[in-house]
Coordinates of all heavy atoms in Angstrom, one line a residue:
L185 N 13.9 0.1 -21.1 CA 13.5 -0.5 -19.8 C 14.3 0.1 -18.7 O 13.7 0.3 -17.6 CB 13.6 -2.0 -19.9 CG 12.6 -2.8 -20.7 CD1 12.9 -4.2 -20.9 CD2 11.2 -2.6 -20.1
A186 N 15.6 0.3 -18.9 CA 16.4 0.9 -17.8 C 15.9 2.4 -17.5 O 15.7 2.8 -16.4 CB 17.8 0.9 -18.2
L187 N 15.7 3.1 -18.6 CA 15.2 4.5 -18.4 C 13.9 4.6 -17.7 O 13.7 5.3 -16.7 CB 15.0 5.1 -19.8 CG 14.3 6.5 -19.8 CD1 15.2 7.6 -19.4 CD2 13.7 6.8 -21.2
V188 N 12.9 3.8 -18.1 CA 11.6 3.9 -17.5 C 11.5 3.3 -16.1 O 10.9 3.8 -15.2 CB 10.5 3.2 -18.4 CG1 9.2 3.1 -17.8 CG2 10.5 4.0 -19.7
S189 N 12.2 2.1 -15.9 CA 12.1 1.5 -14.6 C 12.8 2.3 -13.5 O 12.4 2.2 -12.3 CB 12.6 0.0 -14.7 OG 14.0 0.0 -15.0
E190 N 13.8 3.1 -13.8 CA 14.5 3.9 -12.8 C 13.9 5.2 -12.6 O 14.3 6.0 -11.7 CB 15.9 4.0 -13.3 CG 16.7 2.7 -13.2 CD 18.1 2.8 -13.8 OE1 18.6 3.9 -14.1 OE2 18.7 1.7 -14.0
H191 N 12.9 5.6 -13.4 CA 12.2 6.9 -13.3 C 11.1 6.9 -12.3 O 10.3 5.9 -12.3 CB 11.7 7.4 -14.7 CG 11.4 8.8 -14.8 ND1 10.3 9.4 -14.2 CD2 12.1 9.8 -15.3 CE1 10.3 10.7 -14.4 NE2 11.3 11.0 -15.1
P192 N 10.9 7.9 -11.4 CA 9.9 7.8 -10.4 C 8.4 7.9 -11.0 O 7.5 7.5 -10.4 CB 10.1 9.0 -9.5 CG 11.0 9.9 -10.3 CD 11.8 9.1 -11.3
H193 N 8.3 8.4 -12.3 CA 7.0 8.5 -12.9 C 6.9 7.5 -14.1 O 6.2 7.7 -15.1 CB 6.8 9.9 -13.5 CG 6.8 10.9 -12.4 ND1 7.2 12.2 -12.6 CD2 6.5 10.8 -11.1 CE1 7.2 12.9 -11.5 NE2 6.7 12.1 -10.5
G194 N 7.7 6.4 -14.0 CA 7.7 5.4 -15.1 C 7.2 4.0 -14.6 O 7.3 3.6 -13.5
L195 N 6.5 3.4 -15.6 CA 6.0 2.0 -15.4 C 6.3 1.2 -16.6 O 6.0 1.6 -17.7 CB 4.5 2.1 -15.1 CG 3.7 0.8 -15.0 CD1 4.2 0.0 -13.8 CD2 2.2 1.0 -14.9
A196 N 6.9 0.0 -16.4 CA 7.2 -0.9 -17.5 C 6.9 -2.3 -17.1 O 7.0 -2.7 -15.9 CB 8.7 -0.8 -17.9
G197 N 6.4 -3.0 -18.1 CA 6.0 -4.4 -17.8 C 6.6 -5.3 -19.0 O 6.4 -5.0 -20.1
T198 N 7.3 -6.4 -18.6 CA 7.7 -7.3 -19.6 C 6.7 -8.5 -19.6 O 6.1 -8.9 -18.6 CB 9.1 -7.8 -19.3 OG1 9.2 -8.4 -18.0 CG2 10.2 -6.7 -19.4
F199 N 6.6 -9.1 -20.8 CA 5.7 -10.2 -21.0 C 6.5 -11.5 -21.0 O 7.6 -11.5 -21.4 CB 5.0 -10.1 -22.4 CG 4.0 -8.9 -22.4 CD1 4.4 -7.7 -22.8 CD2 2.7 -9.1 -22.0 CE1 3.5 -6.6 -22.8 CE2 1.8 -8.1 -22.1 CZ 2.2 -6.8 -22.5
P200 N 5.9 -12.6 -20.4 CA 6.5 -13.9 -20.4 C 6.9 -14.3 -21.8 O 6.2 -14.0 -22.8 CB 5.5 -14.8 -19.8 CG 4.5 -13.9 -19.2 CD 4.5 -12.6 -19.9
G201 N 8.1 -15.0 -21.9 CA 8.5 -15.6 -23.2 C 9.6 -14.8 -23.9 O 10.3 -15.4 -24.6
S202 N 9.7 -13.5 -23.6 CA 10.7 -12.7 -24.2 C 11.1 -11.5 -23.3 O 10.2 -10.8 -23.0 CB 10.3 -12.2 -25.6 OG 11.3 -11.3 -26.1
P203 N 12.3 -11.4 -23.0 CA 12.7 -10.2 -22.1 C 12.6 -8.9 -22.9 O 12.6 -7.8 -22.3 CB 14.2 -10.5 -21.8 CG 14.7 -11.3 -22.9 CD 13.5 -12.2 -23.3
H204 N 12.4 -9.0 -24.2 CA 12.3 -7.7 -25.0 C 10.9 -7.5 -25.5 O 10.6 -6.5 -26.2 CB 13.2 -7.8 -26.2 CG 14.7 -8.1 -25.9 ND1 15.4 -7.3 -24.9 CD2 15.5 -9.1 -26.2 CE1 16.6 -7.8 -24.8 NE2 16.7 -8.9 -25.6
A205 N 9.9 -8.3 -25.0 CA 8.5 -8.0 -25.2 C 8.0 -7.2 -24.0 O 7.9 -7.7 -22.9 CB 7.7 -9.3 -25.4
F206 N 7.7 -5.9 -24.3 CA 7.3 -5.1 -23.1 C 6.4 -3.9 -23.6 O 6.4 -3.6 -24.7 CB 8.6 -4.5 -22.4 CG 9.4 -3.5 -23.3 CD1 9.1 -2.2 -23.2 CD2 10.4 -3.9 -24.1 CE1 9.8 -1.2 -24.0 CE2 11.1 -3.0 -24.9 CZ 10.8 -1.7 -24.8
T207 N 5.8 -3.3 -22.6 CA 5.1 -2.0 -22.7 C 5.7 -1.1 -21.6 O 5.8 -1.6 -20.5 CB 3.6 -2.1 -22.6 OG1 3.1 -3.0 -23.6 CG2 2.9 -0.8 -22.7
A208 N 6.1 0.1 -22.0 CA 6.7 1.0 -21.0 C 6.0 2.4 -21.1 O 5.6 2.8 -22.2 CB 8.2 1.1 -21.2
M209 N 5.9 3.1 -20.0 CA 5.2 4.4 -20.0 C 5.9 5.3 -19.0 O 6.4 4.9 -18.0 CB 3.8 4.2 -19.4 CG 3.0 3.1 -20.1 SD 1.5 2.7 -19.3 CE 0.6 4.2 -19.7
L210 N 6.0 6.6 -19.4 CA 6.6 7.6 -18.6 C 5.8 8.9 -18.7 O 5.4 9.3 -19.8 CB 8.0 7.8 -19.2 CG 9.0 8.7 -18.5 CD1 9.3 8.1 -17.1 CD2 10.3 8.8 -19.3
A211 N 5.5 9.5 -17.5 CA 4.7 10.7 -17.5 C 5.4 11.8 -16.8 O 6.3 11.6 -15.9 CB 3.3 10.4 -16.7
Q212 N 5.0 13.0 -17.1 CA 5.6 14.2 -16.5 C 4.6 15.4 -16.6 O 3.7 15.4 -17.5 CB 6.9 14.6 -17.1 CG 6.9 15.0 -18.5 CD 8.3 15.3 -19.0 OE1 9.3 15.3 -18.3 NE2 8.4 15.6 -20.3
R213 N 4.8 16.4 -15.8 CA 4.1 17.7 -16.0 C 5.1 18.7 -16.3 O 6.1 18.8 -15.5 CB 3.3 18.0 -14.7 CG 2.5 19.3 -14.9 CD 1.3 19.3 -14.0 NE 0.5 20.5 -14.3 CZ -0.8 20.5 -14.4 NH1 -1.4 19.4 -14.1 NH2 -1.5 21.5 -14.7
Q214 N 4.9 19.5 -17.3 CA 5.9 20.5 -17.8 C 5.1 21.7 -18.3 O 4.3 21.5 -19.2 CB 6.8 19.8 -18.8 CG 7.9 20.6 -19.2 CD 8.8 19.8 -20.2 OE1 8.3 19.2 -21.1 NE2 10.1 19.7 -19.9
Q215 N 5.4 22.9 -17.9 CA 4.8 24.1 -18.3 C 3.3 24.0 -18.4 O 2.7 24.4 -19.4 CB 5.4 24.4 -19.7 CG 6.9 24.7 -19.7 CD 7.5 24.8 -21.1 OE1 6.9 24.3 -22.1 NE2 8.7 25.4 -21.1
G216 N 2.7 23.5 -17.3 CA 1.2 23.4 -17.3 C 0.6 22.3 -18.1 O -0.6 22.3 -18.2
Q217 N 1.4 21.5 -18.7 CA 0.9 20.4 -19.5 C 1.2 19.1 -18.9 O 2.3 19.0 -18.3 CB 1.4 20.4 -20.9 CG 1.1 21.7 -21.7 CD 1.8 21.8 -23.0 OE1 2.8 21.1 -23.2 NE2 1.3 22.6 -23.9
V218 N 0.4 18.1 -19.1 CA 0.7 16.7 -18.7 C 1.1 16.0 -20.0 O 0.4 16.1 -21.0 CB -0.5 16.0 -18.0 CG1 -0.1 14.6 -17.7 CG2 -0.9 16.8 -16.7
R219 N 2.2 15.3 -19.9 CA 2.8 14.6 -21.1 C 3.1 13.2 -20.7 O 3.5 13.0 -19.6 CB 4.1 15.3 -21.6 CG 3.9 16.8 -22.0 CD 5.2 17.4 -22.2 NE 5.0 18.8 -22.5 CZ 5.5 19.4 -23.5 NH1 6.3 18.8 -24.4 NH2 5.3 20.7 -23.7
W220 N 2.9 12.3 -21.7 CA 3.4 11.0 -21.4 C 3.9 10.4 -22.7 O 3.5 10.8 -23.8 CB 2.3 10.1 -20.8 CG 1.0 9.9 -21.5 CD1 0.7 9.0 -22.5 CD2 -0.2 10.7 -21.3 NE1 -0.6 9.2 -22.9 CE2 -1.2 10.2 -22.1 CE3 -0.5 11.7 -20.4 CZ2 -2.5 10.7 -22.2 CZ3 -1.8 12.3 -20.4 CH2 -2.7 11.7 -21.3
R221 N 4.8 9.5 -22.6 CA 5.4 8.7 -23.7 C 5.2 7.2 -23.4 O 5.2 6.8 -22.2 CB 6.9 9.0 -23.8 CG 7.1 10.5 -24.2 CD 8.5 10.8 -24.5 NE 8.9 10.0 -25.7 CZ 10.1 9.9 -26.2 NH1 11.1 10.5 -25.6 NH2 10.3 9.2 -27.3
T222 N 5.0 6.5 -24.5 CA 4.9 5.0 -24.3 C 5.7 4.3 -25.4 O 6.0 4.9 -26.4 CB 3.4 4.5 -24.4 OG1 3.0 4.6 -25.7 CG2 2.5 5.3 -23.4

Side-chain angles (χ1 to χ4, degrees):
L185 286 171
L187 168 77
V188 173
S189 65
E190 294 171 9
H191 196 284
H193 302 148
L195 175 63
T198 57
F199 291 89
S202 172
H204 305 305
F206 68 90
T207 299
M209 310 168 72
L210 188 60
Q212 64 180 356
R213 183 158 186 138
Q214 188 176 49
Q215 299 171 338
Q217 300 174 338
V218 178
R219 301 169 184 233
W220 58 87
R221 296 189 63 189
T222 72

